[in-house]
Amino acid sequence: MDYFTNVTYLTLEGHVELDKYRYIYLIISFTVYLLIICCNTVVISVIYTNKQLHEPMYIFIAALLCNALCGTIAFYPKLLNDLLSEIPAISLEACIFQAFVIYTYAASEFTLLSAMAYDRYVSICKPLQYATLVKMSTVRKILFICWFWPSCQNSISIILTYQLQLCKFKLKRIYCNNYAVVKLSCGDTTVHNFFGIFSLIVMVFPPVIFVIFSYVRILDVCLKNSKDFRRKALQTCFPHLIIFISFTVTSCFEVINSRLEGNVPHLFAMIMSVENLVIPPLINPVIYGLKMQEIFNRITKIIQKRKTHVFTD
């Protein structure tokens, strides 16, 4: 659809009864986005401003929350704009860029979760070697790889997609998905499909397998130790495990539904497609802020100081 010369626009037709529920969607989306920004920023700030929390475990948590903020920036502002527009539309270039950022966010989430699993594995299974194996220099290298590798991988996919000649211009989605754009082409997409599957295997399976391996080893060590040891291990591992399982399940559903085009109700498919842009960014800081004792204590002290300051004034 060409509204201006040399600019290709795609219409986003994934919204359910937009005219009827437009302002309800707007209020909910704005509230969720505001909560995501506030919750993630609070935990990141607590970790950044407290030198006692400048340890690998907390740095990985801060990196995970930063990654969520980056992913949601590509989704919510455009969604809020669409909810105020008569016809939700996006240029092809902006669509491909949005897909790149969201895909990189999702892939980085897997690599960061596997990095956190490595940190927990060494801490619990090899405590005497922890200081040697998880040095700050090692943490910096791991974080670089966690973001650089997904970015490179997704860049190739995006370049391949941009070269396609489109003959359809309607996306049955509320945000841009690389494979959904590929399906708008009437040409040969064999290379794109093959590389997409290859990227999925390379980006998802190694982190998932490593996390499973880590937790099998952690469980084995926990069963051989005291009850108090198991309690402390679970306290640090349980939040990570919940987030990992949730993200993996919803990601698998989104990939399977997108590629196989199963007979799933449109409303359910849309809810599941945005789940990873709503639940993890919203729940992660809450889970880590409440479950991680050090972070919770710091947040509590800040709240108490604010209350004391208000009352004294």
Side-chain angles (χ1 to χ4, degrees), residues 184-205:
L184 297 179
S185 173
C186 296
D188 184 15
T189 59
T190 304
V191 175
H192 304 78
N193 293 333
F194 176 79
F195 189 79
I197 294 171
F198 171 76
S199 298
L200 178 67
I201 293 171
V202 170
M203 294 308 306
V204 175
F205 279 87

Side-chain angles (χ1 to χ4, degrees), residues 36-62:
I36 287 172
I37 293 174
C38 292
C39 293
N40 284 274
T41 303
V42 166
V43 178
I44 292 169
S45 299
V46 168
I47 294 172
Y48 179 77
T49 56
N50 289 272
K51 291 185 178 180
Q52 295 90 338
L53 300 181
H54 291 183
E55 299 176 5
M57 178 174 65
Y58 300 110
I59 290 172
F60 284 130
I61 291 173

